[in-house]
Amino acid sequence: MAPAAVTFRGSSQIRVDQCSFRRLGAWGLALSAGTQDSEVTRSSFMDLSGGAVYMANVNETLADQPRMMASGIRFMENVLEYTGLDYQGSSGLHVFSLRDSVIARNRISHVPYTGITFNWPMPQTYSYTARVVIEANNVEDAIYWGVDGGAIHTLADMPQCFLRDNWFHDQRNRGLNVVYVDSVSQFLTVERQVVDHTPHQQWLYFQQHCDPRNKSACFNCPNDHVQTVWVRDAKVSPFPYDDNGSYARNVSYFSANQSFPADALAVIDLSLIHI
């Protein structure tokens, strides 16, 4: 993985709070080699050549010893803006593998590639990722340079992981998707998302291996794991059903000039932070 201005390897009990990472010719922060029980809070990452933060690394995703697994991370109330200025293939936040952690109430905006890349093992079938909550994040203007990504992009096994109460909005013309559930993704619950003003992107995309209609490539994707989504001014997902009925339940669509209901506005309010 690319270098970062600050790197913690195999560390624990680290606290990065109210720090500023600006005008750097690399990534801002790396938590790798089994960094555990640490937090990154109320910090800003702006004007970076690479992405803002990565957790674990591509060659660590098959770790089978707990001491080598990234776990117990709280990544909360951070601002990630104008990253990937020179290395446009960088995500705002890139999580290779992670356990027992929370990614919440972060503002991620103006990112050339994916806003949040979550679970990126090699090979793309299995990792130790489990029990991670990604909630109340505000992701704006992601993937304005790349194509194969989205506001959030997932891969592989994610048992007991939740994507909920996030606000994904105002994507430019390049990216294909907003919530991108890619090859062999499974066991991720998606609920209470607000997708707003992404007229050129489909709000949800299941890659072939995750399409519940393709049973030979389903890899046990559970039914009904996408529920309660408010979508305004975005393309409709091409995969709304499986053989047993809708797996994307309670999806409400609105035109660009319609107002969201109170429940959707509450999700947006939850994602707004001031640091």
Side-chain angles (χ1 to χ4, degrees), residues 170-184:
D170 293 285
Q171 286 188 205
R172 302 190 202 182
N173 298 349
R174 290 295 298 265
L176 297 176
N177 314 300
V178 180
V179 178
Y180 187 3
V181 183
D182 205 346
S183 298
V184 205

Side-chain angles (χ1 to χ4, degrees), residues 82-92 109-114 141-147 174:
Y82 299 103
T83 64
L85 298 182
D86 294 303
Y87 303 101
Q88 290 96 340
S90 305
S91 301
S109 61
H110 312 302
V111 179
Y113 184 51
T114 295
D141 189 25
I143 198 158
Y144 63 78
W145 173 84
V147 175
R174 290 295 298 265

